Amino acid sequence: MAAVEGIGVVRGAVRESGREPAGRRPSRRRTRRGAAAALAAGALILAAGCSSQEGAESSAGQGASSPAASGSRPASSPPASPSPSPSPSGPPAKGSVKVVSTLARGLDSPWGLAELPDGDLLVGSRDKGTITRIDGRTGKKTLLGTVPGVAAGGEGGLLGLAVSPDYGTDHLVYAYFTTASDNRIARMLYDEKGTNPGQLLGAPDTILRGIPKGAVHNGGRIAFGPDRALYAGTGETGDEGLAQDEDSLAGKILRMTPDGEPLHGNPRADSVVYSPGHRNVQGLAWDGRKRLWASEFGQDTWDELNLIVPGGNYGWPEAEGKAGKAGFLDPVAQWKTSEASPSGIAYVRGSVWMAGLRGERLWRIPLSGTDQEPLAAPQAFLKGTYGRLRTVLAAGGDRLWLVTSETDGRGTPKPGDDRILVAEVR
């Protein structure tokens, strides 16, 4: 998967500069055994995946298309989904994007984004380790606090955020972050009635620790699925062998209870691992059929969008892009690394929308709703208009929130960066 901005790398090595912080290694709360090896044919559950490097980015306007890579995948059908079922005909082959407003400006290294039940947003700063509430109408910012133990550096820091599916009663916010010794997932109580900005988060309760960390490829995206399970995308930390190591949580998609325990339906009853063979998962989203999709950084040739099934092996480091190798699943779509370096994804109006870092564009991948092939070739929008795009989140109806990523040390920030944009999509 592609070489990174000015840093020469060998296969699987560093893409982003950054020093790995030293420190004590906390004891594990529990032992997790690794990844499931082969995909059971005809598996009927959903899942997720991830892809390549982040480097200097360039992009060109809308209408560009990318080759789609097909791979035979079993259909997946998990429990309830908040999204409506797509029409039999699927979305139109060609879409459109219009940025209608800027909700917030002046954000520092934004990464994770989550919506509260009232429509306000929580955004995390990767490098500062802070979580800020953004008023969904006015853009007003309220600092909730700093997550203790975050050790930022390279591609590590405060990464993904998620809001509990029972937030109305438990007020819990989940975060994936890098410490001095590992990557971990913790939850914190958000005191919405508190009167001291900056001191509104309770102490982190770690639900899963021991995810390997590195200067690069820490994964970090988390999300609750339609089955109310918590999913997490991890990276192989630059040690590519970990992606196929069944005893490692690196280079995997994980599925767990809100308490961090393995769930029925995982390939192994004693493991949170849902799928192995990933290089660096950066985006997770479910479509109208409750199938899990994942974006993933490639290395030198292809970035990927994968349809995830439990136990499916996505090939890294033996396969990159559509390789057609026995025992591995090919991506549904693939891009040259210069065109994508994909990060967050969202599902809106029958299409997967994928943010591009190095590619500095927003990709639309229309789904047919009846099989695992895109309805039409992926289409690119906003090429180079707003710079690097880190996170995309469904905002209801035909709208998306887009988070730029110009202040992460790899972009060229302009006055007002970074931003949360509001876009209308079709």
Side-chain angles (χ1 to χ4, degrees):
M1 306 174 170
V4 177
E5 317 176 357
I7 301 177
V9 289
V10 292
R11 184 174 178 87
V14 172
R15 280 179 184 247
E16 283 191 271
S17 61
R19 190 166 301 176
E20 188 170 338
R24 64 181 180 82
R25 176 176 297 275
S27 60
R28 284 195 189 205
R29 190 171 139 181
R30 60 183 68 87
T31 302
R32 310 272 190 225
R33 285 188 60 89
L39 167 66
L44 294 177
I45 309 178
L46 85 141
C50 155
S51 151
S52 114
Q53 124 269 357
E54 299 184 359
E57 278 76 19
S58 72
S59 62
Q62 66 186 38
S65 63
S66 168
S70 63
S72 173
R73 285 189 172 72
S76 98
S77 187
S81 166
S83 303
S85 297
S87 64
S89 60
K94 296 292 184 181
S96 65
V97 174
K98 179 182 179 182
V99 173
V100 295
S101 64
T102 298
L103 177 63
R105 293 178 171 84
L107 302 174
D108 188 298
S109 59
W111 209 102
L113 188 71
E115 183 184 8
L116 293 168
D118 66 357
D120 286 359
L121 299 174
L122 299 181
V123 61
S125 168
R126 185 194 70 181
D127 297 341
K128 289 188 172 180
T130 57
I131 298 177
T132 298
R133 181 171 182 153
I134 308 292
D135 188 293
R137 295 164 299 281
T138 68
K140 178 184 176 182
K141 301 178 216 173
T142 302
L143 177 65
L144 304 194
T146 301
V147 179
V150 172
E155 293 178 7
L158 177 58
L159 302 174
L161 298 178
V163 170
S164 166
D166 295 316
Y167 182 84
T169 55
D170 63 27
H171 297 283
L172 291 175
V173 175
Y174 287 71
Y176 181 117
F177 58 94
T178 311
T179 73
S181 58
D182 65 359
N183 286 301
R184 62 184 60 180
I185 301 171
R187 58 190 176 190
M188 295 156 285
L189 180 67
Y190 169 23
D191 179 10
E192 288 202 44
K193 296 181 179 179
T195 57
N196 296 319
Q199 300 178 34
L200 303 177
L201 293 175
D205 170 26
T206 299
I207 65 164
L208 182 66
R209 68 182 73 218
I211 303 169
K213 59 162 284 187
V216 294
H217 306 172
N218 288 291
R221 196 69 65 181
I222 58 174
F224 281 95
D227 56 359
R228 298 173 63 85
L230 178 62
Y231 292 76
T234 73
E236 35 79 302
T237 73
D239 182 353
E240 60 187 34
L242 294 180
Q244 295 293 333
D245 182 351
E246 68 173 17
D247 292 319
S248 175
L249 297 178
K252 310 293 191 301
I253 289 173
L254 313 178
R255 177 177 178 262
M256 68 200 81
T257 70
D259 296 324
E261 298 291 345
L263 269 167
H264 175 71
N266 285 2
R268 285 178 44 171
D270 64 343
S271 175
V272 297
V273 171
Y274 201 58
S275 63
H278 300 287
R279 186 171 184 265
N280 191 20
V281 178
Q282 294 285 289
L284 302 171
W286 289 263
D287 66 15
R289 295 175 61 195
K290 303 161 194 162
R291 300 177 299 179
L292 178 58
W293 297 83
S295 59
E296 183 166 348
F297 278 122
Q299 179 167 290
D300 297 316
T301 311
W302 298 114
D303 290 331
E304 301 176 357
L305 177 69
N306 287 295
L307 175 60
I308 306 302
V309 292
N313 192 320
Y314 291 82
W316 182 253
E318 303 303 321
E320 178 184 0
K322 184 182 176 182
K325 291 190 175 182
F328 302 132
L329 291 179
D330 280 339
V332 169
Q334 64 183 13
W335 294 262
K336 294 178 182 179
T337 55
S338 61
E339 296 178 338
S341 293
S343 192
I345 60 173
Y347 176 77
V348 173
R349 290 197 173 273
S351 297
V352 171
W353 300 84
M354 187 179 81
L357 288 160
R358 186 180 177 200
E360 294 187 355
R361 64 198 81 178
L362 179 67
W363 285 99
R364 175 185 184 264
I365 305 95
L367 305 181
S368 67
T370 58
D371 56 31
Q372 290 78 41
E373 295 299 315
L375 182 70
Q379 188 180 7
F381 299 92
L382 309 179
K383 184 178 176 183
T385 306
Y386 297 98
R388 296 158 54 86
L389 299 179
R390 169 72 66 180
T391 299
V392 56
L393 185 67
D398 61 355
R399 293 198 167 197
L400 290 173
W401 286 298
L402 295 173
V403 180
T404 67
S405 189
E406 289 292 302
T407 59
D408 66 347
R410 292 183 156 195
T412 307
K414 299 179 176 65
D417 284 339
D418 272 308
R419 309 162 191 261
I420 300 176
L421 308 171
V422 180
E424 291 181 350
V425 300
R426 298 284 182 179

